Every structure is written in structure tokens, then in C-alpha cells.
Amino acid sequence: MQADVVVLGAGMVGVSVAVHLQKRGRQVVLVDRRQPGEETSYGNGGLVQREAVFPHAFPRDIAELRRIARNRSVDVHYHLSALPGLAGRLFRYWWNSEPGRYAAIARDWFTLIATCLDEHKALAEEAGSTELLRPVGFLRAFNDTATMDSELAKAERARAFGVNSAALTPAALGELEPHLNNGFVGGLHWTDPYAVNDPHALTMSYFELFRRLGGEFAVGDAGMLRRGGAAWRVTAADGTEVEAGEAVVALGVWSGAVTKRFGYTPPLFGKRGYHLHFKPKGNAGLTRPVASNGFLLAPMRAGIRLTTGVEFARPPAPPTPVQLARAEPIARRVFPLDEAVEPEPWMGIRPCTPDMMPIIGPAPTQPHLWCAFGHAHQGFTLGPTTGRLLAEMMTGGVPFVDLAPFRAERF
Ligand SMILES: Cc1cc2nc3c(=O)[nH]c(=O)nc-3n(C[C@H](O)[C@H](O)[C@H](O)COP(=O)(O)OP(=O)(O)OC[C@H]3O[C@@H](n4cnc5c(N)ncnc54)[C@H](O)[C@@H]3O)c2cc1C
């Protein structure tokens, strides 16, 4: 199978890169060990997060660090055994979260986030899936006024980045989401984000667009990537040889395992997250996702999706969904949840870098090898943006956002 480009990894990022290259006349083969969109891009909160202009920083407040260190919270959990291996990368993450450095990072990060609604809308229009981009935003509901005041102040700062929001009294919160149990001191409505109630369907719609444009898909292990003369080669699971002049690594948190073999070792680390769907009781429903108490409740086609915050674990460690167990009783007080839909929770891994920014551009150690990974908490949001940027760069165009801050050489 001959192609101009082989894209490794068919999550939201890889599919978006593949479709943008194919649109620009490149013949692309997309390779994944599973079917498209079945890993982290499958089970996320489904938010296209125009409001996320401040990337997730490492906490620097001592009281907050103490709370997390106790390892009993809903929002963060860690395996002690994971910490020695992660220490260097977490230290750099902490260092980059110092207010001065963080402000500079947030300015660069904003240049990507600012484009997310337009880039999703453009792809979804071509793919015929605009009905999945629901312009309803999402809510944060607060238990205490101190947290509410500090989050409202953050929302005011975000206005300078073109982010819209509205503070909500308990009554206004109840009007927007009548089935939420009251008892909150108030809320915040981020009004810009799209809420997607089937993230997998959105990725699949972009994948189908890729196929309609003539792109091909093969099941295969990216670990088989090798040089064959000037070309890249991968042997697909059915034995087919895929050969292409350029290769793109878009393997999410697994990207480093492949680039390392070609001399580039990015300091990626994973933040695991879980979800479980519940049937709503009676006629209860949510119009949009609601974040509170360290978890998110998102209305999905499959049910009400309860998603958790962050877990640090060694890559091979089996799932430990303790945060779901902690969140579920609280979630039941917040919203009338009935029985769980699945017997086991789903787990995904956010691909993170110590400076909170993705790696987009050529690999520094090999010609014709490209990187598109490290989107952390917002890879579902930024897939189409990254796809367009990388495709523009690879086809000799001028990327519509300056890619210098995201280049691989910074690590
Ligand atoms: C609980 C949770 C909630 C989240 N909520 C949101 C949200 O609301 N909004 C948002 O923007 N983001 C959210 N995220 C983050 C987002 O889901 C990720 O950033 C995004 O899915 C990453 O996409 P990706 O394409 O880089 O990686 P993935 O979707 O993980 O895709 C990587 C692909 O590589 C393939 N692969 C890996 N190794 C190999 C190999 N050796 N050979 C072949 N194929 C391989 C995998 O099968 C997979 O298909 C959330 C994440 C979690 C865990």
C-alpha cells in the first residue's frame, strides 16, 4: 500500500491530521492497533473547550498540595509507586506553573484554544455532523462562596481572551438545569463551549470524511514503524506493507515509545481518567455538562456520564477507579442517578507534557517524521486545530497559528 503519508494513531488528533492532509491532496494511510477513536478520544467529557484559556497548572498553594498529598480527594489520586518515575517530569510541570512562566505559556496556549470552535465547526460541516456540536456551554456549580468567588474572578480574567460566561444565582442554576438538586451557593455558565453528547461519533464522522476523500485505514502496530530506504514502512496486521514518504506520530500518550526508537524522547506523562454511565431516574435529564465536587456529569447518548479528574499511575498498572467510587455517592446527591449502564468503568489517559502544551511539528532527530501529540486535558478540543496546522506545515503552507511555541526541540 503506497501513500504520501502514514499517520500513526486514529484518535481525535490523528484522524484530524489525516483528514486535513487528505483535503490538501496528500494520499494518507491512517494506522491504529484498534478501530478509530476507541482510546482516550472515546470516553472524555465531550467538551470543545473555548473557555480553557488557562491550561491545567500544577498546584503551588501549600494547603492545596497538602490536600492532594493525603490522597483521599475526588479530583486527584496517585499511586505511590508511580511517583519516583514521574518525579522529574512533575517537577518541571510544577516549575512551569510558577505564575510568571505560566502566564507566558497561557499566552501561547491561547493561540490554539482561540481557534477550536471554528476548526471543529468547519470539519463538522464537511462531515455532516454539526448536530453533534451543541452550543450549550457547560456549568460549574459551587458548594461554597470562597470557591465561587475565586472561579468568578478567573472567569473575569478569561474575558480578556474573548471567553464569555455568566454568574448564576441558585435560582438561575435551577432554571438552566431543573433536575440538579439545589443546595449549591451558585454557579458559572461558560457559554462558548460545544457540548458533544457522543465524542466517539464526532471522531468517527471526521474519519468517514477522511474515507470519502480517498483516505485509507489499516489496523496495525505503530511499533512496527521502520525505515525502508528513504521511505517509512509499517506492516499492517493483515500483512500488508504500508509505505510512505512521511510519517506522523499521533499516538497520544503512547507517542514517546515510537519516537524514542528514532532518537526523540519527549517527556510525556499520562493523567488517567475514568467514566461510568448511569441511567437518569424517571424523566430527569441534563441539557449540558455540569462540573462540581471534582467530577463532571455529562449528558451522553449512552446515559449520564460521570467522569473523574486525574490519576497518576505507572503505565502498566491496572485501573484503580477509586475516584469514581468516591464521586458516585456525591453525584447521586447532585443529580437523580439510577443504575449504572456498564459493569466496568472506562479508563483513558490524557497525554501530558511538563509545559502543558502539545508538541506539533517535525521531529528533531529524523527527516520526514512529524509529531502531533501531548494535548493533555484538551485533545478533543484541539484535534482539528492541530490537524490543520500540521497539514499546512507539511504541505509547504504557512500555518495559520505560529507553531514556534509548540516545536519538538523545546524538549
Ligand atoms: C476523563 C477524561 C475527560 C476528558 N475530557 C475532555 C474534554 O471534555 N475535552 C477535551 O478537549 N479533552 C478531554 N479529555 C482529553 C482528551 O480526551 C485527550 O486529550 C484526547 O483524546 C487525546 O487524543 P489523541 O488523539 O492524542 O489520543 P488518543 O485518543 O488516545 O489516540 C491515540 C491512538 O493511538 C493508538 N495507539 C497507541 N499505541 C499504538 C500502537 N503501538 N500502534 C497503533 N496504534 C496505537 C490508540 O489505539 C489510539 O487510537 C479528557 C480525557 C479524559 C481521560
Side-chain angles (χ1 to χ4, degrees), residues 8-15 31-49 120 194 203 219-224 250-255 257-258 271-275 296 305-309 346-351 372-383:
L8 303 166
M12 178 51 99
V13 175
V15 167
V31 173
D32 200 294
R33 62 187 172 196
R34 304 179 64 169
Q35 291 300 308
E38 291 191 347
E39 281 285 355
T40 319
S41 299
Y42 175 84
N44 52 53
L47 287 166
V48 178
Q49 293 190 264
H120 265 285
Y194 292 140
T203 308
V219 173
D221 179 2
M224 304 280 274
L251 296 161
V253 77
W254 300 277
S255 298
V258 169
K271 289 182 182 174
R272 311 204 305 188
Y274 300 84
H275 86 221
L296 182 81
R305 180 176 288 184
L306 170 59
T307 72
T308 64
W346 168 91
M347 187 187 87
I349 313 179
R350 304 170 182 92
F373 50 80
H375 296 73
H377 292 253
Q378 272 86 37
F380 185 70
T381 297
L382 290 177

Side-chain angles (χ1 to χ4, degrees), residues 97-353:
S97 301
E98 178 275 328
R101 280 184 281 273
Y102 179 77
I105 286 169
R107 278 195 294 278
D108 290 334
W109 167 254
F110 165 69
T111 61
L112 297 180
I113 284 291
T115 68
C116 67
L117 298 178
D118 289 346
E119 293 309 309
H120 265 285
K121 192 156 173 270
L123 268 196
E125 268 167 11
E126 274 185 78
S129 54
T130 42
E131 85 288 350
L132 285 169
L133 300 177
R134 296 186 314 119
V136 292
F138 78 101
L139 299 178
R140 290 208 55 189
F142 303 110
N143 293 318
D144 63 272
T145 46
T147 310
M148 176 156 163
D149 289 348
S150 110
E151 291 301 315
L152 292 184
K154 203 160 132 193
E156 284 312 307
R157 290 201 298 281
R159 277 190 204 286
F161 296 91
V163 176
N164 299 299
S165 61
L168 301 173
T169 60
L173 189 58
E175 261 171 48
L176 278 176
E177 295 296 346
H179 298 284
L180 267 191
N181 288 345
N182 49 32
F184 292 110
V185 297
L188 172 65
H189 186 187
W190 296 110
T191 50
D192 300 314
Y194 292 140
V196 177
N197 62 8
D198 189 341
H200 182 238
L202 189 66
T203 308
M204 287 308 288
S205 78
Y206 298 167
F207 174 71
E208 292 306 334
L209 172 62
F210 164 71
R211 293 275 281 244
R212 281 205 299 280
L213 294 168
E216 292 179 276
F217 176 73
V219 173
D221 179 2
M224 304 280 274
L225 183 71
R226 62 196 184 281
R227 282 281 186 195
W232 291 102
R233 282 166 180 265
V234 188
T235 311
D238 65 1
T240 308
E241 284 295 326
V242 179
E243 192 176 282
E246 318 261 348
V248 177
V249 179
L251 296 161
V253 77
W254 300 277
S255 298
V258 169
T259 60
K260 193 175 161 183
R261 290 184 33 239
F262 300 100
Y264 179 54
T265 310
L268 281 177
F269 61 95
K271 289 182 182 174
R272 311 204 305 188
Y274 300 84
H275 86 221
L276 194 59
H277 292 106
F278 294 86
K279 292 179 186 163
K281 276 193 178 152
N283 68 348
L286 287 174
T287 301
R288 53 184 69 69
V290 179
S292 77
N293 297 286
F295 56 77
L296 182 81
L297 284 172
M300 294 283 167
R301 284 175 173 165
I304 301 290
R305 180 176 288 184
L306 170 59
T307 72
T308 64
V310 167
E311 182 180 64
F312 295 101
R314 278 154 54 114
T320 49
V322 294
Q323 289 157 290
L324 267 181
R326 289 171 189 161
E328 186 183 327
I330 310 169
R332 287 186 180 283
R333 291 200 290 277
V334 166
F335 182 85
L337 296 174
D338 207 333
E339 65 199 36
V341 173
E342 305 93 354
E344 296 295 332
W346 168 91
M347 187 187 87
I349 313 179
R350 304 170 182 92
C352 301
T353 63

